[in-house]
Amino acid sequence: MLMECSDYGLTRTLERDNLNLNPLQRGGVLPAAARKALYEFGDGYSVCDYCEGRLDQIPRPHVNSFLDDLADFIKADAVRTVHGAREGKFAVMHALCEEGDTIVVDGNAHYTTHLAAERNGLEIVEVPSTGHPDYEIKPETYREVLEETLEETEVKLAVLTHVDGNYGNLTDAAAIAGICRELGVPLLLNCAYSMGRMPVELKTLKVDFVVGSGHKSMAASGPIGVLGMGAEWEDLLLKRSPRHEKKEVELLGCTSRGAPLATLMASLPYVRERVSRWDEEVERTRYLVSELEKMDGVRQIGLRPKEHDLVRFETPVFHEIASSHPRRGFFLYEELKKRRIVGIRRGQTRWFKCSVYGMTDRQVQYIIDSFREIVEENRD
Ligand SMILES: *Cc1c(COP(=O)(O)O)cnc(C)c1O
């Protein structure tokens, strides 16, 4: 009895046995080198054997040179690992703002941007998107809202979602960074869905801060995030404790350590290589969209053509089938599962989000054919 209860259900073959369309999970699958690192560094505080008080300076494993390579990869002057993209955003807001300050945020921001601001006691002014069906964040709208807000109050920070998690829209970060620079407001770019999938370079986009998510898009087990900044922000963001002079206060001394860090490190060469093939991923995504849209009652929402692998579809065709199907809304999930395709939420048929990031052409074709077959077999 005790044996049965004590494993907490810790078995998982979903990723091995199925094709997983959940966008949240496509960029976090570990390559073999990272699985080995996960095993080697599973023990608590296992990266600390050769630590002399600073996580970012540990020589063995080579955390120090890894961070140099990571800074070079994202073209930032300084990089630290944090627990996730949200903790990176929280740290930047905390270092730059006082309670009651105002920040400007795009209307497609992730909930964690809002929570990071709330935990810091900040007022949020939102830049609206264009709404259905594109949900675009336009640079000119960003400028209008920022200018209007600046007439009323000081704005300590602007936040932009590089690629949002609802529509997979890529924003024009370089243009919005130019506007922020002109108006004297530092810009934090949230790259949770972009860094590690597509090229993200702080110096090229000319933003002040970037945050990334190891478990979302950098093939790391996590929880781990990346915080990159320009040199002018190092003193403020990485200020040391007067009492513990080696320790960086905003990071509470040390952030994610052990397996999350080891897997992020082990995956960097793999991530670098896959980012260099981003064009192929975009092509594959566009192919998926064009093939699925050949079916009546399937339409891609968000900006066209796709510039990112996360796709949102409106699917009245599946909603219609569900209305007369004995399994109702569950039919789609169940039909996909039969074909070993998972990652579309159970019971959902009006719309869904999906991603084929990292899949082969054959796998993508199989997914397209499966959707077609499901429509043909179930439509009356
Ligand atoms: C997933 C996601 C996050 C959260 O990332 P964590 O690393 O888990 O904090 C933040 N922003 C966006 C846009 C996301 O898609």
PDB file of all heavy atoms in Angstrom, residues 25-35 37-38 195-197 213-222 224 259-272 274 357:
ATOM      1  N   GLN A  25       5.327  23.649 -24.337  1.00  0.00           N
ATOM      2  CA  GLN A  25       6.284  22.575 -24.064  1.00  0.00           C
ATOM      3  C   GLN A  25       7.239  22.276 -25.211  1.00  0.00           C
ATOM      4  O   GLN A  25       8.192  21.528 -25.038  1.00  0.00           O
ATOM      5  CB  GLN A  25       5.513  21.288 -23.690  1.00  0.00           C
ATOM      6  CG  GLN A  25       4.720  21.464 -22.405  1.00  0.00           C
ATOM      7  CD  GLN A  25       3.845  20.262 -22.080  1.00  0.00           C
ATOM      8  OE1 GLN A  25       3.293  19.620 -22.968  1.00  0.00           O
ATOM      9  NE2 GLN A  25       3.717  19.948 -20.804  1.00  0.00           N
ATOM     10  N   ARG A  26       7.027  22.863 -26.366  1.00  0.00           N
ATOM     11  CA  ARG A  26       7.841  22.494 -27.533  1.00  0.00           C
ATOM     12  C   ARG A  26       9.291  22.953 -27.431  1.00  0.00           C
ATOM     13  O   ARG A  26      10.188  22.311 -27.947  1.00  0.00           O
ATOM     14  CB  ARG A  26       7.219  23.013 -28.840  1.00  0.00           C
ATOM     15  CG  ARG A  26       5.879  22.374 -29.121  1.00  0.00           C
ATOM     16  CD  ARG A  26       5.854  21.420 -30.312  1.00  0.00           C
ATOM     17  NE  ARG A  26       7.061  20.736 -30.624  1.00  0.00           N
ATOM     18  CZ  ARG A  26       7.334  19.470 -30.276  1.00  0.00           C
ATOM     19  NH1 ARG A  26       6.463  18.755 -29.602  1.00  0.00           N
ATOM     20  NH2 ARG A  26       8.455  18.915 -30.619  1.00  0.00           N
ATOM     21  N   GLY A  27       9.523  24.086 -26.795  1.00  0.00           N
ATOM     22  CA  GLY A  27      10.887  24.618 -26.731  1.00  0.00           C
ATOM     23  C   GLY A  27      11.665  24.163 -25.508  1.00  0.00           C
ATOM     24  O   GLY A  27      12.822  24.537 -25.328  1.00  0.00           O
ATOM     25  N   GLY A  28      11.030  23.360 -24.664  1.00  0.00           N
ATOM     26  CA  GLY A  28      11.674  22.959 -23.410  1.00  0.00           C
ATOM     27  C   GLY A  28      12.088  21.498 -23.383  1.00  0.00           C
ATOM     28  O   GLY A  28      12.444  20.973 -22.330  1.00  0.00           O
ATOM     29  N   VAL A  29      12.030  20.836 -24.546  1.00  0.00           N
ATOM     30  CA  VAL A  29      12.418  19.428 -24.600  1.00  0.00           C
ATOM     31  C   VAL A  29      13.950  19.334 -24.556  1.00  0.00           C
ATOM     32  O   VAL A  29      14.638  20.041 -25.286  1.00  0.00           O
ATOM     33  CB  VAL A  29      11.866  18.760 -25.885  1.00  0.00           C
ATOM     34  CG1 VAL A  29      12.273  17.293 -25.957  1.00  0.00           C
ATOM     35  CG2 VAL A  29      10.341  18.891 -25.939  1.00  0.00           C
ATOM     36  N   LEU A  30      14.459  18.459 -23.673  1.00  0.00           N
ATOM     37  CA  LEU A  30      15.902  18.380 -23.477  1.00  0.00           C
ATOM     38  C   LEU A  30      16.595  17.523 -24.541  1.00  0.00           C
ATOM     39  O   LEU A  30      16.124  16.423 -24.834  1.00  0.00           O
ATOM     40  CB  LEU A  30      16.228  17.752 -22.110  1.00  0.00           C
ATOM     41  CG  LEU A  30      15.661  18.375 -20.847  1.00  0.00           C
ATOM     42  CD1 LEU A  30      16.320  17.731 -19.624  1.00  0.00           C
ATOM     43  CD2 LEU A  30      15.876  19.870 -20.815  1.00  0.00           C
ATOM     44  N   PRO A  31      17.726  17.984 -25.071  1.00  0.00           N
ATOM     45  CA  PRO A  31      18.567  17.111 -25.893  1.00  0.00           C
ATOM     46  C   PRO A  31      19.314  16.133 -24.974  1.00  0.00           C
ATOM     47  O   PRO A  31      19.315  16.313 -23.752  1.00  0.00           O
ATOM     48  CB  PRO A  31      19.530  18.087 -26.564  1.00  0.00           C
ATOM     49  CG  PRO A  31      19.643  19.224 -25.614  1.00  0.00           C
ATOM     50  CD  PRO A  31      18.304  19.318 -24.911  1.00  0.00           C
ATOM     51  N   ALA A  32      19.939  15.127 -25.561  1.00  0.00           N
ATOM     52  CA  ALA A  32      20.585  14.064 -24.773  1.00  0.00           C
ATOM     53  C   ALA A  32      21.610  14.624 -23.783  1.00  0.00           C
ATOM     54  O   ALA A  32      21.669  14.188 -22.621  1.00  0.00           O
ATOM     55  CB  ALA A  32      21.240  13.052 -25.713  1.00  0.00           C
ATOM     56  N   ALA A  33      22.396  15.600 -24.207  1.00  0.00           N
ATOM     57  CA  ALA A  33      23.437  16.152 -23.326  1.00  0.00           C
ATOM     58  C   ALA A  33      22.824  16.750 -22.064  1.00  0.00           C
ATOM     59  O   ALA A  33      23.383  16.646 -20.961  1.00  0.00           O
ATOM     60  CB  ALA A  33      24.245  17.203 -24.077  1.00  0.00           C
ATOM     61  N   ALA A  34      21.657  17.361 -22.209  1.00  0.00           N
ATOM     62  CA  ALA A  34      21.003  17.975 -21.056  1.00  0.00           C
ATOM     63  C   ALA A  34      20.390  16.911 -20.144  1.00  0.00           C
ATOM     64  O   ALA A  34      20.348  17.078 -18.929  1.00  0.00           O
ATOM     65  CB  ALA A  34      19.941  18.959 -21.528  1.00  0.00           C
ATOM     66  N   ARG A  35      19.929  15.808 -20.730  1.00  0.00           N
ATOM     67  CA  ARG A  35      19.395  14.707 -19.894  1.00  0.00           C
ATOM     68  C   ARG A  35      20.497  14.120 -19.032  1.00  0.00           C
ATOM     69  O   ARG A  35      20.288  13.760 -17.879  1.00  0.00           O
ATOM     70  CB  ARG A  35      18.777  13.609 -20.762  1.00  0.00           C
ATOM     71  CG  ARG A  35      17.452  14.011 -21.274  1.00  0.00           C
ATOM     72  CD  ARG A  35      16.612  12.924 -21.880  1.00  0.00           C
ATOM     73  NE  ARG A  35      15.569  13.622 -22.607  1.00  0.00           N
ATOM     74  CZ  ARG A  35      14.476  14.108 -22.034  1.00  0.00           C
ATOM     75  NH1 ARG A  35      14.238  13.903 -20.758  1.00  0.00           N
ATOM     76  NH2 ARG A  35      13.604  14.791 -22.745  1.00  0.00           N
ATOM     77  N   ALA A  37      23.178  15.801 -18.013  1.00  0.00           N
ATOM     78  CA  ALA A  37      23.477  16.825 -16.996  1.00  0.00           C
ATOM     79  C   ALA A  37      22.425  16.808 -15.885  1.00  0.00           C
ATOM     80  O   ALA A  37      22.734  16.993 -14.708  1.00  0.00           O
ATOM     81  CB  ALA A  37      23.540  18.202 -17.657  1.00  0.00           C
ATOM     82  N   LEU A  38      21.184  16.551 -16.277  1.00  0.00           N
ATOM     83  CA  LEU A  38      20.088  16.483 -15.310  1.00  0.00           C
ATOM     84  C   LEU A  38      20.363  15.377 -14.289  1.00  0.00           C
ATOM     85  O   LEU A  38      20.168  15.544 -13.087  1.00  0.00           O
ATOM     86  CB  LEU A  38      18.784  16.200 -16.059  1.00  0.00           C
ATOM     87  CG  LEU A  38      17.495  16.063 -15.276  1.00  0.00           C
ATOM     88  CD1 LEU A  38      17.117  17.379 -14.632  1.00  0.00           C
ATOM     89  CD2 LEU A  38      16.363  15.601 -16.200  1.00  0.00           C
ATOM     90  N   MET A 195      13.659  33.941 -27.030  1.00  0.00           N
ATOM     91  CA  MET A 195      15.065  33.614 -26.770  1.00  0.00           C
ATOM     92  C   MET A 195      15.246  32.103 -26.685  1.00  0.00           C
ATOM     93  O   MET A 195      14.620  31.444 -25.864  1.00  0.00           O
ATOM     94  CB  MET A 195      15.520  34.281 -25.456  1.00  0.00           C
ATOM     95  CG  MET A 195      17.013  34.123 -25.178  1.00  0.00           C
ATOM     96  SD  MET A 195      17.456  34.621 -23.497  1.00  0.00           S
ATOM     97  CE  MET A 195      17.107  36.366 -23.517  1.00  0.00           C
ATOM     98  N   GLY A 196      16.092  31.573 -27.555  1.00  0.00           N
ATOM     99  CA  GLY A 196      16.319  30.123 -27.577  1.00  0.00           C
ATOM    100  C   GLY A 196      15.581  29.448 -28.719  1.00  0.00           C
ATOM    101  O   GLY A 196      15.831  28.278 -29.020  1.00  0.00           O
ATOM    102  N   ARG A 197      14.625  30.171 -29.319  1.00  0.00           N
ATOM    103  CA  ARG A 197      13.949  29.645 -30.512  1.00  0.00           C
ATOM    104  C   ARG A 197      14.417  30.415 -31.743  1.00  0.00           C
ATOM    105  O   ARG A 197      14.708  29.840 -32.785  1.00  0.00           O
ATOM    106  CB  ARG A 197      12.431  29.821 -30.411  1.00  0.00           C
ATOM    107  CG  ARG A 197      11.810  29.051 -29.282  1.00  0.00           C
ATOM    108  CD  ARG A 197      10.289  29.176 -29.339  1.00  0.00           C
ATOM    109  NE  ARG A 197       9.707  28.641 -28.130  1.00  0.00           N
ATOM    110  CZ  ARG A 197       8.681  27.784 -28.096  1.00  0.00           C
ATOM    111  NH1 ARG A 197       8.100  27.406 -29.207  1.00  0.00           N
ATOM    112  NH2 ARG A 197       8.222  27.343 -26.951  1.00  0.00           N
ATOM    113  N   SER A 213      13.271  32.516 -20.902  1.00  0.00           N
ATOM    114  CA  SER A 213      12.801  31.423 -20.046  1.00  0.00           C
ATOM    115  C   SER A 213      13.455  30.117 -20.472  1.00  0.00           C
ATOM    116  O   SER A 213      13.231  29.638 -21.582  1.00  0.00           O
ATOM    117  CB  SER A 213      11.278  31.324 -20.159  1.00  0.00           C
ATOM    118  OG  SER A 213      10.814  30.233 -19.391  1.00  0.00           O
ATOM    119  N   GLY A 214      14.265  29.529 -19.576  1.00  0.00           N
ATOM    120  CA  GLY A 214      14.971  28.283 -19.894  1.00  0.00           C
ATOM    121  C   GLY A 214      14.023  27.141 -20.189  1.00  0.00           C
ATOM    122  O   GLY A 214      14.201  26.410 -21.164  1.00  0.00           O
ATOM    123  N   HIS A 215      12.992  26.991 -19.337  1.00  0.00           N
ATOM    124  CA  HIS A 215      12.059  25.859 -19.497  1.00  0.00           C
ATOM    125  C   HIS A 215      11.063  26.096 -20.623  1.00  0.00           C
ATOM    126  O   HIS A 215      10.461  25.170 -21.125  1.00  0.00           O
ATOM    127  CB  HIS A 215      11.336  25.556 -18.181  1.00  0.00           C
ATOM    128  CG  HIS A 215      10.933  26.777 -17.420  1.00  0.00           C
ATOM    129  ND1 HIS A 215      11.811  27.492 -16.629  1.00  0.00           N
ATOM    130  CD2 HIS A 215       9.768  27.442 -17.351  1.00  0.00           C
ATOM    131  CE1 HIS A 215      11.187  28.523 -16.101  1.00  0.00           C
ATOM    132  NE2 HIS A 215       9.951  28.519 -16.521  1.00  0.00           N
ATOM    133  N   LYS A 216      10.844  27.338 -21.022  1.00  0.00           N
ATOM    134  CA  LYS A 216       9.911  27.621 -22.130  1.00  0.00           C
ATOM    135  C   LYS A 216      10.598  27.459 -23.488  1.00  0.00           C
ATOM    136  O   LYS A 216      10.046  26.845 -24.384  1.00  0.00           O
ATOM    137  CB  LYS A 216       9.354  29.048 -21.967  1.00  0.00           C
ATOM    138  CG  LYS A 216       8.503  29.608 -23.090  1.00  0.00           C
ATOM    139  CD  LYS A 216       7.070  29.126 -23.177  1.00  0.00           C
ATOM    140  CE  LYS A 216       6.055  29.576 -22.169  1.00  0.00           C
ATOM    141  NZ  LYS A 216       5.851  30.987 -21.975  1.00  0.00           N
ATOM    142  N   SER A 217      11.772  28.031 -23.637  1.00  0.00           N
ATOM    143  CA  SER A 217      12.338  28.137 -24.989  1.00  0.00           C
ATOM    144  C   SER A 217      13.826  27.837 -25.111  1.00  0.00           C
ATOM    145  O   SER A 217      14.407  28.052 -26.166  1.00  0.00           O
ATOM    146  CB  SER A 217      12.080  29.557 -25.535  1.00  0.00           C
ATOM    147  OG  SER A 217      10.708  29.846 -25.595  1.00  0.00           O
ATOM    148  N   MET A 218      14.472  27.341 -24.031  1.00  0.00           N
ATOM    149  CA  MET A 218      15.916  27.147 -24.119  1.00  0.00           C
ATOM    150  C   MET A 218      16.350  25.730 -23.772  1.00  0.00           C
ATOM    151  O   MET A 218      17.475  25.492 -23.346  1.00  0.00           O
ATOM    152  CB  MET A 218      16.635  28.179 -23.234  1.00  0.00           C
ATOM    153  CG  MET A 218      16.260  29.613 -23.616  1.00  0.00           C
ATOM    154  SD  MET A 218      17.092  30.867 -22.633  1.00  0.00           S
ATOM    155  CE  MET A 218      18.691  30.897 -23.464  1.00  0.00           C
ATOM    156  N   ALA A 219      15.430  24.782 -23.951  1.00  0.00           N
ATOM    157  CA  ALA A 219      15.749  23.359 -23.785  1.00  0.00           C
ATOM    158  C   ALA A 219      16.356  23.030 -22.423  1.00  0.00           C
ATOM    159  O   ALA A 219      17.261  22.207 -22.307  1.00  0.00           O
ATOM    160  CB  ALA A 219      16.674  22.885 -24.918  1.00  0.00           C
ATOM    161  N   ALA A 220      15.871  23.715 -21.380  1.00  0.00           N
ATOM    162  CA  ALA A 220      16.339  23.460 -20.020  1.00  0.00           C
ATOM    163  C   ALA A 220      15.203  22.888 -19.175  1.00  0.00           C
ATOM    164  O   ALA A 220      14.032  23.151 -19.444  1.00  0.00           O
ATOM    165  CB  ALA A 220      16.852  24.751 -19.392  1.00  0.00           C
ATOM    166  N   SER A 221      15.561  22.119 -18.149  1.00  0.00           N
ATOM    167  CA  SER A 221      14.523  21.550 -17.282  1.00  0.00           C
ATOM    168  C   SER A 221      13.820  22.665 -16.517  1.00  0.00           C
ATOM    169  O   SER A 221      12.631  22.600 -16.243  1.00  0.00           O
ATOM    170  CB  SER A 221      15.142  20.568 -16.289  1.00  0.00           C
ATOM    171  OG  SER A 221      15.952  21.257 -15.345  1.00  0.00           O
ATOM    172  N   GLY A 222      14.578  23.709 -16.147  1.00  0.00           N
ATOM    173  CA  GLY A 222      14.039  24.773 -15.352  1.00  0.00           C
ATOM    174  C   GLY A 222      13.727  24.305 -13.945  1.00  0.00           C
ATOM    175  O   GLY A 222      13.995  23.159 -13.600  1.00  0.00           O
ATOM    176  N   ILE A 224      14.306  28.017 -14.652  1.00  0.00           N
ATOM    177  CA  ILE A 224      15.445  28.918 -14.815  1.00  0.00           C
ATOM    178  C   ILE A 224      15.128  29.950 -15.896  1.00  0.00           C
ATOM    179  O   ILE A 224      14.424  29.645 -16.857  1.00  0.00           O
ATOM    180  CB  ILE A 224      16.740  28.139 -15.153  1.00  0.00           C
ATOM    181  CG1 ILE A 224      17.964  29.039 -14.971  1.00  0.00           C
ATOM    182  CG2 ILE A 224      16.708  27.533 -16.556  1.00  0.00           C
ATOM    183  CD1 ILE A 224      19.278  28.304 -14.785  1.00  0.00           C
ATOM    184  N   ALA A 259      20.381  21.124 -11.134  1.00  0.00           N
ATOM    185  CA  ALA A 259      19.932  20.606 -12.422  1.00  0.00           C
ATOM    186  C   ALA A 259      19.380  21.671 -13.386  1.00  0.00           C
ATOM    187  O   ALA A 259      19.680  21.628 -14.577  1.00  0.00           O
ATOM    188  CB  ALA A 259      18.897  19.505 -12.204  1.00  0.00           C
ATOM    189  N   PRO A 260      18.597  22.650 -12.911  1.00  0.00           N
ATOM    190  CA  PRO A 260      18.086  23.647 -13.862  1.00  0.00           C
ATOM    191  C   PRO A 260      19.212  24.385 -14.584  1.00  0.00           C
ATOM    192  O   PRO A 260      19.160  24.581 -15.803  1.00  0.00           O
ATOM    193  CB  PRO A 260      17.292  24.616 -12.980  1.00  0.00           C
ATOM    194  CG  PRO A 260      16.939  23.840 -11.758  1.00  0.00           C
ATOM    195  CD  PRO A 260      18.052  22.861 -11.550  1.00  0.00           C
ATOM    196  N   LEU A 261      20.241  24.761 -13.840  1.00  0.00           N
ATOM    197  CA  LEU A 261      21.373  25.470 -14.436  1.00  0.00           C
ATOM    198  C   LEU A 261      22.212  24.540 -15.306  1.00  0.00           C
ATOM    199  O   LEU A 261      22.616  24.899 -16.424  1.00  0.00           O
ATOM    200  CB  LEU A 261      22.229  26.087 -13.319  1.00  0.00           C
ATOM    201  CG  LEU A 261      23.505  26.817 -13.749  1.00  0.00           C
ATOM    202  CD1 LEU A 261      23.195  27.953 -14.719  1.00  0.00           C
ATOM    203  CD2 LEU A 261      24.249  27.357 -12.520  1.00  0.00           C
ATOM    204  N   ALA A 262      22.440  23.327 -14.809  1.00  0.00           N
ATOM    205  CA  ALA A 262      23.265  22.371 -15.559  1.00  0.00           C
ATOM    206  C   ALA A 262      22.630  22.040 -16.914  1.00  0.00           C
ATOM    207  O   ALA A 262      23.325  21.938 -17.928  1.00  0.00           O
ATOM    208  CB  ALA A 262      23.462  21.093 -14.736  1.00  0.00           C
ATOM    209  N   THR A 263      21.286  21.910 -16.949  1.00  0.00           N
ATOM    210  CA  THR A 263      20.637  21.584 -18.228  1.00  0.00           C
ATOM    211  C   THR A 263      20.681  22.781 -19.176  1.00  0.00           C
ATOM    212  O   THR A 263      20.881  22.620 -20.380  1.00  0.00           O
ATOM    213  CB  THR A 263      19.176  21.125 -18.029  1.00  0.00           C
ATOM    214  OG1 THR A 263      18.448  22.115 -17.293  1.00  0.00           O
ATOM    215  CG2 THR A 263      19.112  19.804 -17.287  1.00  0.00           C
ATOM    216  N   LEU A 264      20.519  23.986 -18.637  1.00  0.00           N
ATOM    217  CA  LEU A 264      20.613  25.191 -19.483  1.00  0.00           C
ATOM    218  C   LEU A 264      22.002  25.276 -20.115  1.00  0.00           C
ATOM    219  O   LEU A 264      22.141  25.566 -21.311  1.00  0.00           O
ATOM    220  CB  LEU A 264      20.333  26.445 -18.648  1.00  0.00           C
ATOM    221  CG  LEU A 264      20.305  27.771 -19.420  1.00  0.00           C
ATOM    222  CD1 LEU A 264      19.033  27.899 -20.252  1.00  0.00           C
ATOM    223  CD2 LEU A 264      20.408  28.969 -18.456  1.00  0.00           C
ATOM    224  N   MET A 265      23.032  24.978 -19.305  1.00  0.00           N
ATOM    225  CA  MET A 265      24.410  25.016 -19.795  1.00  0.00           C
ATOM    226  C   MET A 265      24.636  23.952 -20.865  1.00  0.00           C
ATOM    227  O   MET A 265      25.178  24.233 -21.935  1.00  0.00           O
ATOM    228  CB  MET A 265      25.382  24.803 -18.627  1.00  0.00           C
ATOM    229  CG  MET A 265      25.417  25.972 -17.661  1.00  0.00           C
ATOM    230  SD  MET A 265      26.334  25.623 -16.129  1.00  0.00           S
ATOM    231  CE  MET A 265      27.985  25.354 -16.751  1.00  0.00           C
ATOM    232  N   ALA A 266      24.184  22.737 -20.572  1.00  0.00           N
ATOM    233  CA  ALA A 266      24.420  21.624 -21.503  1.00  0.00           C
ATOM    234  C   ALA A 266      23.717  21.857 -22.842  1.00  0.00           C
ATOM    235  O   ALA A 266      24.174  21.395 -23.882  1.00  0.00           O
ATOM    236  CB  ALA A 266      23.932  20.320 -20.878  1.00  0.00           C
ATOM    237  N   SER A 267      22.603  22.597 -22.798  1.00  0.00           N
ATOM    238  CA  SER A 267      21.809  22.792 -24.014  1.00  0.00           C
ATOM    239  C   SER A 267      22.273  23.963 -24.881  1.00  0.00           C
ATOM    240  O   SER A 267      21.821  24.083 -26.024  1.00  0.00           O
ATOM    241  CB  SER A 267      20.329  23.005 -23.662  1.00  0.00           C
ATOM    242  OG  SER A 267      19.731  21.779 -23.309  1.00  0.00           O
ATOM    243  N   LEU A 268      23.153  24.815 -24.369  1.00  0.00           N
ATOM    244  CA  LEU A 268      23.486  26.023 -25.142  1.00  0.00           C
ATOM    245  C   LEU A 268      23.993  25.743 -26.569  1.00  0.00           C
ATOM    246  O   LEU A 268      23.499  26.369 -27.515  1.00  0.00           O
ATOM    247  CB  LEU A 268      24.462  26.933 -24.370  1.00  0.00           C
ATOM    248  CG  LEU A 268      24.773  28.260 -25.074  1.00  0.00           C
ATOM    249  CD1 LEU A 268      23.528  29.138 -25.248  1.00  0.00           C
ATOM    250  CD2 LEU A 268      25.864  29.049 -24.327  1.00  0.00           C
ATOM    251  N   PRO A 269      24.925  24.788 -26.766  1.00  0.00           N
ATOM    252  CA  PRO A 269      25.370  24.525 -28.147  1.00  0.00           C
ATOM    253  C   PRO A 269      24.211  24.089 -29.050  1.00  0.00           C
ATOM    254  O   PRO A 269      24.113  24.519 -30.202  1.00  0.00           O
ATOM    255  CB  PRO A 269      26.391  23.391 -27.985  1.00  0.00           C
ATOM    256  CG  PRO A 269      26.817  23.451 -26.555  1.00  0.00           C
ATOM    257  CD  PRO A 269      25.641  23.969 -25.778  1.00  0.00           C
ATOM    258  N   TYR A 270      23.338  23.256 -28.500  1.00  0.00           N
ATOM    259  CA  TYR A 270      22.160  22.768 -29.233  1.00  0.00           C
ATOM    260  C   TYR A 270      21.204  23.928 -29.557  1.00  0.00           C
ATOM    261  O   TYR A 270      20.692  24.046 -30.677  1.00  0.00           O
ATOM    262  CB  TYR A 270      21.487  21.709 -28.354  1.00  0.00           C
ATOM    263  CG  TYR A 270      20.081  21.305 -28.707  1.00  0.00           C
ATOM    264  CD1 TYR A 270      19.834  20.369 -29.710  1.00  0.00           C
ATOM    265  CD2 TYR A 270      18.991  21.831 -28.003  1.00  0.00           C
ATOM    266  CE1 TYR A 270      18.538  19.981 -30.021  1.00  0.00           C
ATOM    267  CE2 TYR A 270      17.689  21.447 -28.304  1.00  0.00           C
ATOM    268  CZ  TYR A 270      17.471  20.522 -29.311  1.00  0.00           C
ATOM    269  OH  TYR A 270      16.185  20.145 -29.604  1.00  0.00           O
ATOM    270  N   VAL A 271      21.010  24.805 -28.594  1.00  0.00           N
ATOM    271  CA  VAL A 271      20.105  25.946 -28.765  1.00  0.00           C
ATOM    272  C   VAL A 271      20.665  26.914 -29.828  1.00  0.00           C
ATOM    273  O   VAL A 271      19.947  27.388 -30.701  1.00  0.00           O
ATOM    274  CB  VAL A 271      19.870  26.665 -27.412  1.00  0.00           C
ATOM    275  CG1 VAL A 271      19.269  28.043 -27.608  1.00  0.00           C
ATOM    276  CG2 VAL A 271      18.959  25.812 -26.523  1.00  0.00           C
ATOM    277  N   ARG A 272      21.958  27.171 -29.729  1.00  0.00           N
ATOM    278  CA  ARG A 272      22.629  28.014 -30.713  1.00  0.00           C
ATOM    279  C   ARG A 272      22.391  27.499 -32.134  1.00  0.00           C
ATOM    280  O   ARG A 272      22.070  28.254 -33.044  1.00  0.00           O
ATOM    281  CB  ARG A 272      24.136  27.940 -30.452  1.00  0.00           C
ATOM    282  CG  ARG A 272      24.841  29.227 -30.292  1.00  0.00           C
ATOM    283  CD  ARG A 272      26.329  28.864 -30.201  1.00  0.00           C
ATOM    284  NE  ARG A 272      26.950  29.391 -29.004  1.00  0.00           N
ATOM    285  CZ  ARG A 272      27.261  30.672 -28.856  1.00  0.00           C
ATOM    286  NH1 ARG A 272      26.999  31.552 -29.802  1.00  0.00           N
ATOM    287  NH2 ARG A 272      27.821  31.087 -27.743  1.00  0.00           N
ATOM    288  N   ARG A 274      20.030  25.416 -33.206  1.00  0.00           N
ATOM    289  CA  ARG A 274      18.629  25.419 -33.667  1.00  0.00           C
ATOM    290  C   ARG A 274      18.154  26.837 -33.993  1.00  0.00           C
ATOM    291  O   ARG A 274      17.342  27.030 -34.890  1.00  0.00           O
ATOM    292  CB  ARG A 274      17.704  24.711 -32.676  1.00  0.00           C
ATOM    293  CG  ARG A 274      17.322  25.506 -31.428  1.00  0.00           C
ATOM    294  CD  ARG A 274      16.443  24.654 -30.523  1.00  0.00           C
ATOM    295  NE  ARG A 274      15.888  25.433 -29.424  1.00  0.00           N
ATOM    296  CZ  ARG A 274      15.128  24.919 -28.452  1.00  0.00           C
ATOM    297  NH1 ARG A 274      14.840  23.638 -28.433  1.00  0.00           N
ATOM    298  NH2 ARG A 274      14.651  25.698 -27.492  1.00  0.00           N
ATOM    299  N   TYR A 357       6.991  23.270 -33.454  1.00  0.00           N
ATOM    300  CA  TYR A 357       8.407  23.610 -33.307  1.00  0.00           C
ATOM    301  C   TYR A 357       9.246  22.354 -33.050  1.00  0.00           C
ATOM    302  O   TYR A 357       8.910  21.548 -32.185  1.00  0.00           O
ATOM    303  CB  TYR A 357       8.594  24.597 -32.146  1.00  0.00           C
ATOM    304  CG  TYR A 357      10.022  25.057 -32.006  1.00  0.00           C
ATOM    305  CD1 TYR A 357      10.541  25.992 -32.887  1.00  0.00           C
ATOM    306  CD2 TYR A 357      10.855  24.537 -31.028  1.00  0.00           C
ATOM    307  CE1 TYR A 357      11.860  26.399 -32.794  1.00  0.00           C
ATOM    308  CE2 TYR A 357      12.172  24.934 -30.922  1.00  0.00           C
ATOM    309  CZ  TYR A 357      12.667  25.859 -31.815  1.00  0.00           C
ATOM    310  OH  TYR A 357      13.978  26.251 -31.719  1.00  0.00           O
TER     311      TYR A 357
END
